[in-house]
Amino acid sequence: MAATGEPQPAKHQEVGHKSLLQSDALYQYILETSVYPREPQSMKELREVTAKHPWNLMTTSADEGQFLNLLLKLINAKNTMEIGVYTGYSLLSTALALPEDGKILALDINRENYEIGLPIIEKAGVAHKIDFREGPALPLLDQMVDDVKFHGSFDFIFVDADKDNYLNYHKRLIDLVKIGGVIGYDNTLWNGSLVAPPDAPLRKYVRYYRDFVLELNKALAVDPRVEICQLPVGDGITLCRRVS
């Protein structure tokens, strides 16, 4: 109860909660009604393990994990890439959605975080679909862009990494995703800070990356090579379907 005696909205239980819904109670309703009852046991286990990690805000939220899993099935994705893995919640969601011979090229600068989730991924029987590479993504992407065999070879690419490089990633990924394929950029509403006034009290990291996210959104909005849809799922995800 607040000092006024008015009841306050129930707080969410979700680690990595980034929902832009104004009501935490409504977000909790979505989780408890539509997400948690359908969440695979392996994903629940990984979500709970990740909750104990000091950087747990970096994880993909459960509702976004469900969204990605369904999207991959809808587009019949088979060959995918993920830039930014953390403990692997979205990676596991992807691996479970792909066919038995599906593949994920997973790129992250920190293998130690990935190994937190790896035993759960292995127990789920999908580790064979994952090719994990430790290190910065851009050098590897440059190599792939230089090799024509990789052009148009990916059905889906998910980016949840360093926001200051999102445009650099896009310049390369547009050649690697197939025409009709999809690139998903995470955090494109960036804590709701994109419409905050200049003097708003923002956390240092939120303020630092805010301009990079704004720049990405402006660029995607006028890129004729893609059709886009920006969704308020999690912290905002922009889907780009390559058309040319």
Side-chain angles (χ1 to χ4, degrees):
M1 300 286 285
T4 61
E6 296 178 358
Q8 297 298 296
K11 291 298 180 182
H12 57 81
Q13 304 296 317
E14 169 67 14
V15 170
H17 167 60
K18 303 165 187 173
S19 174
L20 298 166
L21 289 173
Q22 292 184 1
S23 166
D24 279 345
L26 182 58
Y27 181 56
Q28 193 66 26
Y29 170 81
I30 293 171
L31 293 175
E32 294 177 357
T33 303
S34 301
V35 179
Y36 290 158
R38 295 294 190 104
E39 185 179 35
Q41 181 59 35
S42 58
M43 291 183 64
K44 177 183 179 182
E45 185 178 351
L46 182 49
R47 175 168 55 82
E48 291 175 345
V49 168
T50 303
K52 301 172 184 176
H53 193 272
W55 302 341
N56 58 51
L57 277 174
M58 291 172 54
T59 192
T60 299
S61 60
D63 54 322
E64 186 174 8
Q66 183 187 61
F67 170 75
L68 291 172
N69 182 276
L70 184 58
L71 173 65
L72 287 158
K73 292 172 181 174
L74 288 171
I75 66 174
N76 295 313
K78 185 174 180 180
N79 191 40
T80 73
M81 184 193 306
E82 182 162 329
I83 302 176
V85 171
Y86 186 41
T87 61
Y89 187 81
S90 57
L91 185 65
L92 177 56
S93 177
T94 298
L96 290 170
L98 297 184
E100 185 63 19
D101 59 346
K103 298 296 180 185
I104 313 166
L105 176 61
L107 311 178
D108 199 288
I109 59 172
N110 190 324
R111 185 178 183 90
E112 184 177 346
N113 288 335
Y114 168 62
E115 289 181 345
I116 294 172
L118 183 56
I120 298 170
I121 293 171
E122 290 174 337
K123 186 168 66 173
V126 293
H128 65 282
K129 302 179 185 180
I130 300 168
D131 177 9
F132 181 86
R133 309 282 186 93
E134 183 179 24
L138 287 175
L140 179 59
L141 295 179
D142 284 336
Q143 293 176 23
M144 296 174 74
V145 169
D146 288 341
D147 189 339
V148 69
K149 75 179 181 182
F150 291 110
H151 286 201
S153 62
F154 290 90
D155 304 309
F156 180 78
I157 302 172
F158 182 58
V159 184
D160 183 9
D162 41 334
K163 316 310 169 196
D164 46 345
N165 269 319
Y166 268 26
L167 268 181
N168 289 324
Y169 292 140
H170 186 66
K171 292 173 184 176
R172 294 157 174 80
L173 298 179
I174 197 68
D175 290 329
L176 301 178
V177 71
K178 71 179 185 181
I179 292 178
V182 176
I183 307 171
Y185 291 101
D186 201 20
N187 306 111
T188 59
L189 293 176
W190 199 231
N191 290 252
S193 68
L194 305 187
V195 294
D199 59 348
L202 302 176
R203 293 182 180 180
K204 186 178 295 185
Y205 81 93
V206 173
R207 184 176 298 279
Y208 174 76
Y209 288 113
R210 176 177 178 270
D211 287 345
F212 293 106
V213 177
L214 284 167
E215 185 180 13
L216 172 77
N217 290 340
K218 289 177 183 177
L220 295 180
V222 296
D223 189 339
R225 299 168 297 179
V226 294
E227 297 173 329
I228 69 169
C229 180
Q230 189 171 30
L231 299 169
V233 176
D235 192 26
I237 180 172
T238 300
L239 301 180
C240 305
R241 178 178 178 268
R242 184 184 172 191
V243 295
S244 67

